Amino acid sequence: MASRSTQILEAAARVIARRGVRGLRVEELAAEAGVSTALIYYHFKDRTGVLRQTLEFISGRAERYTADRDPDAPPLAPREELEESLLLELQDTAEVRENSSAWGELRASAVFDEVLREDLARSTLVWVQEVAALLGQVRPTAPAPSLAAAAERLTALLEGLSMRWLSGGVEITHARELMRGAIDAELAGLATPRKN
Amino acid sequence: MASRSTQILEAAARVIARRGVRGLRVEELAAEAGVSTALIYYHFKDRTGVLRQTLEFISGRAERYTADRDPDAPPLAPREELEESLLLELQDTAEVRENSSAWGELRASAVFDEVLREDLARSTLVWVQEVAALLGQVRPTAPAPSLAAAAERLTALLEGLSMRWLSGGVEITHARELMRGAIDAELAGLATPRKN
């Protein structure tokens, strides 16, 4: 079961990254995945089901390529782990480009279409909590609301930079530099309680 | 001339904010603007011409609602001016919602379509330079590259937060708080040269 539905989700991510959410039609998805439309309806009920599962699939994939490490590699220091988790979203590889384009598209489509909003909010929350936990490992005495706010800013900035990069507005190396600067600024803010 | 073409651009911004860039067809735009398709072709040559001019129109409108002040009001301190210029992009008004939705759509469409990339990069650069100049008024001794990097981050974060707000992922008051926190963090970083 997993293999057939994964194949469909991989195709859906490709189609969304290439033509946008509005370009995703079940017939074309079937052709792209090399399956029948009936199989798509069987696994996902309807187009909305495909979109929701694709969102989850994309989040899972991002989590994998930002967290997966060689099990024999020495463990990372908390700060390195934080940087890696954010900077690996800004890699010029086919997989990251596709994943980030599809994510940006799903986010943009939620402005017009309410159907994905709840799933998107949930995925974003999980991501924010992960980044907040990594920040907390670097700054164990920082209060939880400050960690959460810093994580919300870093992830929203990453989305903004990612869209600029994918739309040709900024070079990937520069986007990574900017992201590193933001991590520094947030960690500095978490080390010394801000006055106002 | 201005009035007819402005009327068309206002209608184009409305259509893009409501249905996306891919939902903009010249026939529908004509109906929305209450003009003939011939007049649209006369003023803008083709659909690409409409999109490019709409981008400029949207940037101009954002500049207006983030900078226009009562001429009799006392002048703002540099820091207030900076905060106002950024936070006025996060207002829950019909105009800002429409403008930001359309901007986000134009940005997202540039991931798939190269035609708008150059105009988008130019508009973004103008915006970044304006924010860098405002940051420089608050931190006159900060080096220019640091001001530019801070401005790039603040504007990219604003785009990211704006999309989260418009897609229902964050409340407007919370988005504004996060933005204020980022301004504080960047100004703190510009006051004390960062160590690493």
Side-chain angles (χ1 to χ4, degrees), chain A residues 139-168:
Chain A
R139 294 280 181 261
T141 60
S146 307
L147 292 171
E152 280 189 274
R153 279 192 294 266
L154 288 173
T155 55
L157 173 63
L158 188 48
E159 288 186 328
L161 286 175
S162 203
M163 289 303 281
R164 284 200 188 170
W165 161 52
L166 293 166
S167 64

Side-chain angles (χ1 to χ4, degrees), chain A residues 65-87:
Chain A
Y65 64 65
T66 57
D68 263 18
R69 301 192 67 243
D70 181 346
D72 297 331
L76 291 176
R79 191 189 174 116
E80 289 169 327
E81 201 180 336
L82 169 71
E83 289 207 344
E84 193 151 289
S85 138
L86 292 165
L87 292 173

Side-chain angles (χ1 to χ4, degrees), chain A residues 16-20 22 105 107 112 117 152-153 155-157 159 164 167 174 178 181 184 194 196, chain B residues 16-20 22 105 107 112 117 152-153 155-157 159 164 167 174 178 181 184 194 196:
Chain A
I16 293 172
R18 203 187 304 141
R19 290 203 292 269
R22 275 156 290 191
E105 255 297 302
R107 168 81 71 201
F112 305 96
R117 288 192 180 176
E152 280 189 274
R153 279 192 294 266
T155 55
L157 173 63
E159 288 186 328
R164 284 200 188 170
S167 64
H174 188 54
L178 291 172
D184 287 347
R194 220 163 273 153
N196 58 356
Chain B
I16 293 172
R18 205 188 300 140
R19 290 202 293 268
R22 275 155 289 191
E105 255 296 301
R107 168 80 71 201
F112 306 95
R117 288 192 180 176
E152 280 188 275
R153 278 192 294 265
T155 55
L157 173 63
E159 288 186 329
R164 284 200 188 170
S167 64
H174 188 55
L178 291 172
D184 287 347
R194 220 162 275 153
N196 58 357

Side-chain angles (χ1 to χ4, degrees), chain A residues 37-144:
Chain A
T37 56
L39 193 74
I40 294 176
Y41 290 119
Y42 170 77
H43 279 303
F44 303 101
K45 203 175 137 238
D46 54 19
R47 183 175 176 275
T48 300
V50 174
L51 289 177
R52 297 179 65 175
Q53 292 293 314
T54 306
L55 179 64
E56 202 172 304
F57 175 76
I58 286 168
S59 300
R61 205 156 63 168
E63 202 156 330
R64 188 171 48 65
Y65 64 65
T66 57
D68 263 18
R69 301 192 67 243
D70 181 346
D72 297 331
L76 291 176
R79 191 189 174 116
E80 289 169 327
E81 201 180 336
L82 169 71
E83 289 207 344
E84 193 151 289
S85 138
L86 292 165
L87 292 173
L88 288 178
E89 298 264 13
L90 294 169
Q91 288 181 82
D92 198 358
T93 66
E95 187 185 30
V96 174
R97 261 187 188 273
E98 182 188 297
N99 222 52
S100 298
S101 300
W103 175 266
E105 255 297 302
L106 289 161
R107 168 81 71 201
S109 80
V111 174
F112 305 96
D113 186 352
E114 298 203 357
V115 80
L116 284 177
R117 288 192 180 176
E118 218 172 289
D119 300 72
L120 205 51
R122 202 177 311 115
S123 289
T124 306
L125 185 64
V126 170
W127 184 26
V128 166
Q129 286 171 340
E130 282 163 5
V131 173
L134 292 170
L135 285 164
Q137 283 173 27
V138 187
R139 294 280 181 261
T141 60

Side-chain angles (χ1 to χ4, degrees), chain B:
Chain B
M1 177 232 144
S3 124
R4 260 320 166 70
S5 59
T6 301
Q7 188 180 329
I8 296 168
L9 292 173
E10 281 170 350
R14 271 200 308 277
V15 172
I16 293 172
R18 205 188 300 140
R19 290 202 293 268
V21 167
R22 275 155 289 191
L24 184 87
R25 295 217 168 69
V26 173
E27 295 70 30
E28 282 153 40
L29 174 58
E32 176 78 26
V35 302
S36 66
T37 55
L39 193 74
I40 293 176
Y41 290 119
Y42 170 76
H43 280 302
F44 303 101
K45 204 174 136 238
D46 54 19
R47 184 176 175 274
T48 299
V50 173
L51 288 177
R52 297 179 66 172
Q53 292 293 313
T54 306
L55 179 63
E56 202 171 304
F57 174 77
I58 286 168
S59 299
R61 205 156 63 169
E63 202 156 329
R64 189 173 46 65
Y65 63 65
T66 57
D68 264 17
R69 302 193 65 243
D70 181 346
D72 297 331
L76 291 176
R79 191 188 173 117
E80 289 169 326
E81 203 181 335
L82 169 71
E83 289 207 345
E84 193 151 287
S85 138
L86 292 164
L87 292 173
L88 288 178
E89 298 264 12
L90 294 169
Q91 289 181 81
D92 198 358
T93 67
E95 188 186 28
V96 175
R97 260 187 188 274
E98 182 187 298
N99 224 53
S100 299
S101 300
W103 174 267
E105 255 296 301
L106 290 161
R107 168 80 71 201
S109 80
V111 174
F112 306 95
D113 186 353
E114 297 203 356
V115 80
L116 284 176
R117 288 192 180 176
E118 218 173 287
D119 299 71
L120 205 51
R122 202 178 310 116
S123 288
T124 305
L125 184 65
V126 170
W127 184 26
V128 166
Q129 285 171 340
E130 281 164 5
V131 173
L134 292 170
L135 285 164
Q137 282 173 29
V138 188
R139 294 282 181 260
T141 60
S146 307
L147 293 170
E152 280 188 275
R153 278 192 294 265
L154 288 173
T155 55
L157 173 63
L158 189 47
E159 288 186 329
L161 286 175
S162 205
M163 289 304 280
R164 284 200 188 170
W165 161 52
L166 294 166
S167 64
V170 66
E171 299 286 332
I172 188 76
T173 48
H174 188 55
R176 292 169 65 92
E177 254 170 57
L178 291 172
M179 196 66 220
R180 244 185 240 109
I183 297 169
D184 287 347
E186 291 291 353
L187 287 175
L190 291 169
T192 53
R194 220 162 275 153
K195 270 143 286 163
N196 58 357

